[in-house]
Every structure is written in structure tokens, then in C-alpha cells.
Amino acid sequence: MPILPSFAPPSSFRLGLRAITGHTGKLLTSISARSFSTRHLPVAPCFQYSSRGALEPLRVRATSYSHNLLPRISVRMASRFRATTRYIELLDSYEDSDGLQFRKEDLNQREVNKIFGPHLRAPIANQLLRILHGRRVAGTLNDPYLQENTASFSDADIKKALQYLRANIPVDEVINAGLRAEDELRYLEEQQQGDGKAEEQSEETGPRNPSSDTMVQKRIVPAGSRVPKRPKPESPYGESLFDQIRDRNIAKRKEEERQLEEERKKREEEDAKGNIGTLQTQTRKPRELSPFVKKWTERASSDLTEIPTMMAWERLLPSLAMTILVLAGCAAFAVFYTPPRRSDRLWPDIPPAAATCLGLIGFNLTVWITWRLPPMWPLLNRYFILIAATPRPLQLIGAVFSHHKFSHVVPNMVALWFFGTRLHNEIGRGNFLALYVASGAVGFMTSLAHMVLLKGLHFTTLGASGAVYGVVAAFFWLHKYDEFKVLGYPPDPMAGPQGLAFIGLILGLHILPLLSKRAHGIDIASHLGGLVAGVVGADLVKKRLDEKARIRAERLKSMKALEKVVQVKNGSEKGSPPVAGR
């Protein structure tokens, strides 16, 4: 009789270690439950060995109780995302247009750029990967009827997507395709049997038209969804004729609902296209451009057929160097600027703060009007809009004064006038202009880095929002502990919010769109970059102004002391008797 080696039961430390590290298995489940609970769970039967081999398994009662008095502790295994890889696990609600989730979180733009290149956006690339992963599991990878869902993608992108999926999510595509074929064959056989029974019933009832209850709606095998399974009847006697009739009526009702839904969507599409009635089926043609506009449109357009292949640092380094030069120039301008005399000013009767802000507003409005002149489009496209695919260093400065829409330029200029005049009166023209230009340049440098590294290369941006947010943040930072009242509220004696509260409010309004998944056309990175630049610039200006005030106070103090000395000396000279000569 062979002797089997006996193994000592594992210790509690070993069981805890296995439970924490995620090792699974029937042995771990049974042993851990037996060790940590006062009640035994069902254990897999053990075979009894003899000289003849394995005999019947020893029966172990599942209701046996242990005399172990240790407290009962539940062991939880860490849940992890597991992609669907087998055809039998495919849900009945699967659709080819939706695909299957291939990982817990979608790929970000940086990962998409590594797989496909910078020409695909992250949501579109993830949709392609979901569709192809679903086809691999559903066995429809080579189905020609489903190509319309991926017709917008090139063969190279589809090939790259399949290479990524096959390298990271292993799926037995051959077995899944075979199981799909078996289900389709069974589905067709059931449909043929149902049609045959319906014909027999119609012959028995006579030549009259079949009623709606017995009419069978012919269906084909669903191409982009899970082949439906035959539901198991709840009755122990199997599926009756009434069950079959009910199933056919349910299927007929679902088909009618589907047709009604398609008609509703078609009507909505026609209404969106501007169709007036049911007889109008052609969409409105876009307004044709004049030959003059077409000529300047072609000259302003780029000759590039695709985005140039460049490294991220090749796009960012020239603009970063330009940003550093702009900051250095702004610092030098703020230090060495000397206000002109009243007679040398262009508008001597207007306060300096109003004149400076009106000059900036006028320049922004001039550029906005210039966008309406087609001959200026080539120049504006080259230097007054920041393009992530082909950035130029001078675009960081030109885009600060550029706006496309009137609804964009108006709120920026209103905020510039309201906060700019107040900040100008406190820090002076040199510091104000330096802070405005520096905030705009830093804001667009932040936006360019965000687009190149994360968002994508097919975006462009422009506007004075970054510079204006820098001015607003600088004003509130200089008054961070001062209380403000908006239109007299809150009323006295209640205290109003401080300047730090307004800065926090602006930050919160910009962080919420970042957390939301809804699409928006706001350049959040530019706003945040200008906000930070304004705070830092205001702090530096305040320190410089405090230092100049301290030096001026020391000079005045020394001058007053010198005047006292002179007065005392003059008084002593007048009161002393003249000295007699020899």
C-alpha cells in the first residue's frame, strides 16, 4: 500500500500573506475560512487511496461545527478589473458600435501618441480600441458588414490598434470566431423552424390572411450584437406553444419599437439639417465664397498635408526660450522705465492709468477688426494665433492681443478696464505693462505645454484672457487681506470677502471644468498660467516698491537731520560775538 506524504497545515501568517497578496484557489478559500471562522465551510472531498488506486471520496458533512473559539474574521480579496476575453462571457447587450472595455481607464493622450502618433485624439482612439476588442471577443473581426463603424479610421491605425490589443490583452480569436459561427448556425435553424410552424398554422386556418398574433417577423442574424440565446423555460414541462407565440409577439413588438425609434431619429436629423417639410430631402448648401475670399483663404492656409513629426522638446524649447527673454525684458522695462513729463504725453488731459488701458484696449480691438480683412489672414495666422502643431516663438506675444469673436474680446476688455486702471494707479505704468505682457506670455507657454504633452496637436488658442487674469490676480494679491463689498453687499456691519477669497473663487471656477468630462472651448491652462504669473509678479512689484519707499524714507530722514544741523550751526554763528583782530 503506497504511503502518501502528509503536509503540515499552513500557519496563520502564511494564510494572511496569501490573502493579502491576492492568491486565489479553492485550497486557500477552504483553509482560510476554516482557520478564521468558528463554522466550517464545505470542503472539496478527499480521495481514499489503497493498493487498487483511488476509491470513493470521503464524505465530509458541510454542517459540522468546530470547537474553535477564535473570533470570526472575513477575508476579502482585492477586486481588480478583468477585461472580457471569452465569447461565452459576452453580454447580450453588446453592440459593435460601443465595443468592449479593454482596460479599467481609457488611454490618455500621451499613451495614444505612443501607439498611433499625434494625429488621433484620445477619445477617438479609445473608441477604436473598444470596437476592435469587442470584435475579437465576439468573433466578428473579419465581418464585412461591420466595417462602417471603423470606416473613418485608416488601415494603418487599425493595424496599430490590433497590435496593441494582441500584445496587452490576449484573446483566442479563432475559438471565439468558431463559437460565434455555431451560435449563428443554431440561430438560423431556429428561425427556419419557427417559419415552418407558422406556415403550417396558416394552412390549417385557411386561405384568409394571418392575424397579427400569429404573424412571424422574419429576422436575420444580428451582425453587430450578441447572438440571442434561447431562454430556459421556468416550467419543468418545457416550452409550450403559448410560450412560443408570446416570444414571437414580444420580438415583433421590439422590432416595431426599433423601427419607430429609427423614424424618430431620422426626423430629428432632417429637422437639424433645416428641412422645412417632408418633401424637402436636400440639405442647405453652404454659402459659396467669393473669388477674392477664396484667393486669400488659400494663401493663408498651410501647405502641410499632415502634422510634422517632431519631438515634444523641439516644439517647446524655442517658445520656452522666447518666454524667458520676454520675462527678462519685462523686468528690465519695469526697473528702468521713467514716466514722461506732462507736456510730452500723447494725451496730457487723460490720467495715465486710463491712457494706458485705453491704448491696450484699442490695440486689441484693432487686431479683432483686422481678422475681418482677408488680405491680413496670412500675417495673422502666422503670428497672432498659437498653433500647437507648428508653434512660432512670436506667437506667444501676438496671441495676447488677438481675438476672433466679439463675444470674446468684450469681457476681456471690460475686466482690463475695471481692474487695470486700479492696479495701474498703485504700481505705475512700467510695472503694469511688464506684468500684463509677462502674464500673457507665461499663460500661452503653459497652454502650449499642455497641448503638446497632454491635450493634442490639433488645437489652437488666442486671446488676452491669460494677461487679464494676471492683472486681476495681481490686484487681489496686493489686497489679499482687504475686505471688499460688491454693490454694497454684504451690508454693514458685516465684513465682506477678502482678496484671497476672490483668488480662491477664480481657481475653483477653473478647476471644476478640469474635473468635468463635458467638452468646453476654454483654455484653462492659459488662464491658470496667467493667474500664477500675476500673483508672482505682484509680489515682486510689492517688494520692490516697499524697498524704494524704505530708501526714500531713509533719505528724507537723513535730509531732515542735515537741515537740523544746518539750522543749529547758523543759529550759533548768529549768537556768537565777533572775534577781534590783532
Side-chain angles (χ1 to χ4, degrees):
M1 179 176 179
I3 301 175
L4 294 176
S6 60
F7 296 93
S11 62
S12 299
F13 172 76
R14 190 176 303 172
L15 290 175
L17 183 60
R18 292 181 183 176
I20 292 174
T21 53
H23 293 272
T24 58
K26 293 182 178 180
L27 180 60
L28 174 60
T29 306
S30 61
I31 295 176
S32 59
R34 185 171 65 251
S35 300
F36 291 116
S37 177
T38 59
R39 181 176 178 177
H40 285 288
L41 296 177
V43 183
C46 301
F47 285 90
Q48 181 182 5
Y49 286 84
S50 67
S51 58
R52 297 182 180 179
L55 300 179
E56 284 284 71
L58 296 176
R59 301 296 179 183
V60 180
R61 294 184 62 185
T63 57
S64 60
Y65 289 87
S66 173
H67 299 285
N68 190 4
L69 299 179
L70 293 176
R72 188 173 184 178
I73 302 174
S74 60
V75 181
R76 297 183 179 179
M77 309 299 294
S79 60
R80 299 178 181 177
F81 174 78
R82 179 179 175 273
T84 303
T85 58
R86 295 190 298 174
Y87 178 77
I88 59 176
E89 300 174 353
L90 199 63
L91 299 178
D92 294 339
S93 60
Y94 162 74
E95 294 292 339
D96 182 77
S97 58
D98 299 332
L100 288 177
Q101 195 71 19
F102 59 95
R103 55 182 282 176
K104 185 176 182 180
E105 297 179 353
D106 290 346
L107 299 176
N108 55 35
Q109 189 63 45
R110 184 180 300 176
E111 294 172 334
V112 169
N113 292 343
K114 291 181 181 179
I115 300 172
F116 300 97
H119 64 282
L120 273 185
R121 296 178 58 186
I124 299 176
N126 284 293
Q127 180 65 17
L128 173 62
L129 291 169
R130 283 192 291 268
I131 292 175
L132 294 180
H133 178 61
R135 292 179 183 177
R136 295 174 67 211
V137 178
T140 58
L141 197 58
N142 298 323
D143 195 335
Y145 295 100
L146 302 178
Q147 302 306 319
E148 59 180 6
N149 293 331
T150 55
S152 59
F153 300 96
S154 62
D155 295 338
D157 291 338
I158 296 176
K159 185 177 180 181
K160 293 177 182 178
L162 287 175
Q163 289 177 355
Y164 170 79
L165 291 173
R166 287 167 178 166
N168 294 276
I169 301 97
V171 175
D172 198 332
E173 300 173 5
V174 177
I175 292 180
N176 291 341
L179 294 175
R180 170 80 182 195
E182 292 178 359
D183 281 356
E184 289 182 353
L185 182 60
R186 174 187 56 79
Y187 186 76
L188 291 174
E189 292 176 353
E190 292 178 355
Q191 292 301 311
Q192 292 177 359
Q193 292 176 1
D195 294 343
K197 291 180 180 179
E199 291 177 359
E200 292 177 0
Q201 292 178 1
S202 63
E203 291 177 358
E204 292 177 358
T205 56
R208 61 183 180 180
N209 293 332
S211 61
S212 60
D213 295 336
T214 60
M215 186 178 297
V216 179
Q217 184 76 16
K218 291 187 178 181
R219 294 169 293 180
I220 60 173
V221 177
S225 60
R226 179 76 158 88
V227 178
K229 301 176 181 178
R230 177 186 290 275
K232 295 182 179 180
E234 298 179 358
S235 174
Y237 302 102
E239 186 179 11
S240 64
L241 180 61
F242 293 101
D243 293 335
Q244 296 177 4
I245 295 174
R246 183 176 65 251
D247 294 341
R248 286 197 296 269
N249 291 335
I250 292 175
K252 179 182 177 181
R253 186 179 71 250
K254 290 183 178 180
E255 182 66 20
E256 291 176 353
E257 292 176 354
R258 185 187 63 81
Q259 292 179 358
L260 292 175
E261 183 68 17
E262 290 180 356
E263 292 177 358
R264 184 186 64 81
K265 291 182 178 180
K266 186 176 180 180
R267 287 196 302 269
E268 291 179 354
E269 292 177 357
E270 291 178 354
D271 294 340
K273 292 177 181 178
N275 292 346
I276 300 174
T278 57
L279 298 178
Q280 183 178 356
T281 58
Q282 295 181 355
T283 60
R284 295 178 179 177
K285 294 182 179 180
R287 187 179 63 180
E288 294 185 0
L289 301 177
S290 63
F292 176 76
V293 176
K294 284 183 179 180
K295 180 183 71 173
W296 289 107
T297 302
E298 294 176 357
R299 292 187 180 182
S301 302
S302 175
D303 298 332
L304 299 175
T305 57
E306 59 182 7
I307 297 176
T309 303
M310 299 170 61
M311 299 295 293
W313 65 269
E314 293 178 344
R315 287 188 169 90
L316 296 177
L317 188 59
S319 299
L320 181 61
M322 183 65 183
T323 304
I324 295 174
L325 290 177
V326 169
L327 293 178
C330 290
F333 179 79
V335 172
F336 297 106
Y337 174 78
T338 302
R341 293 178 298 179
R342 181 182 177 85
S343 59
D344 297 337
R345 290 174 52 198
L346 183 62
W347 301 314
D349 298 332
I350 299 178
T356 303
C357 292
L358 286 176
L360 292 175
I361 293 173
F363 188 62
N364 279 273
L365 292 176
T366 302
V367 177
W368 171 72
I369 295 173
T370 308
W371 278 106
R372 272 66 188 164
L373 304 176
M376 300 300 297
W377 289 349
L379 177 66
L380 295 173
N381 283 342
R382 189 174 293 111
Y383 298 112
F384 285 85
I385 183 171
L386 183 61
I387 304 173
T390 57
R392 291 184 172 89
L394 291 179
Q395 292 176 355
L396 297 176
I397 306 301
V400 177
F401 305 94
S402 180
H403 298 81
H404 265 164
K405 299 180 179 179
F406 187 72
S407 60
H408 187 197
V409 67
V410 167
N412 282 343
M413 297 302 102
V414 170
L416 176 61
W417 173 261
F418 186 81
F419 291 97
T421 52
R422 289 163 172 79
L423 183 65
H424 188 289
N425 290 330
E426 295 183 14
I427 65 177
R429 176 176 291 175
N431 293 323
F432 175 78
L433 291 177
L435 191 142
Y436 179 87
V437 177
S439 299
V442 172
F444 278 124
M445 185 62 219
T446 307
S447 176
L448 179 62
H450 179 253
M451 290 187 294
V452 171
L453 298 177
L454 297 176
K455 198 171 183 181
L457 300 178
H458 50 280
F459 287 93
T460 59
T461 180
L462 76 170
S465 301
V468 172
Y469 271 102
V471 171
V472 174
F475 174 76
F476 283 121
W477 185 258
L478 293 178
H479 302 276
K480 53 186 174 182
Y481 299 122
D482 297 340
E483 297 178 355
F484 292 88
K485 291 184 180 293
V486 181
L487 300 178
Y489 290 95
D492 296 330
M494 298 177 61
Q498 297 180 350
L500 287 177
F502 286 96
I503 295 178
L505 177 63
I506 296 173
L507 287 175
L509 294 177
H510 284 79
I511 292 176
L512 287 178
L514 293 178
L515 301 178
S516 176
K517 295 183 179 180
R518 298 178 61 181
H520 58 83
I522 304 174
D523 190 359
I524 302 295
S526 175
H527 294 182
L528 294 178
L531 194 74
V532 174
V535 170
V536 175
D539 197 65
L540 294 176
V541 169
K542 186 176 184 303
K543 290 181 179 179
R544 181 169 175 270
L545 292 178
D546 292 343
E547 182 66 20
K548 291 176 66 175
R550 185 185 63 81
I551 294 174
R552 189 182 302 109
E554 291 179 355
R555 288 181 179 177
L556 291 176
K557 187 176 180 180
S558 61
M559 290 178 63
K560 290 180 180 179
L562 183 60
E563 288 179 356
K564 290 182 179 179
V565 172
V566 172
Q567 291 176 359
V568 170
K569 186 177 181 180
N570 292 335
S572 61
E573 289 179 354
K574 291 179 180 179
S576 60
V579 180
R582 294 182 178 178

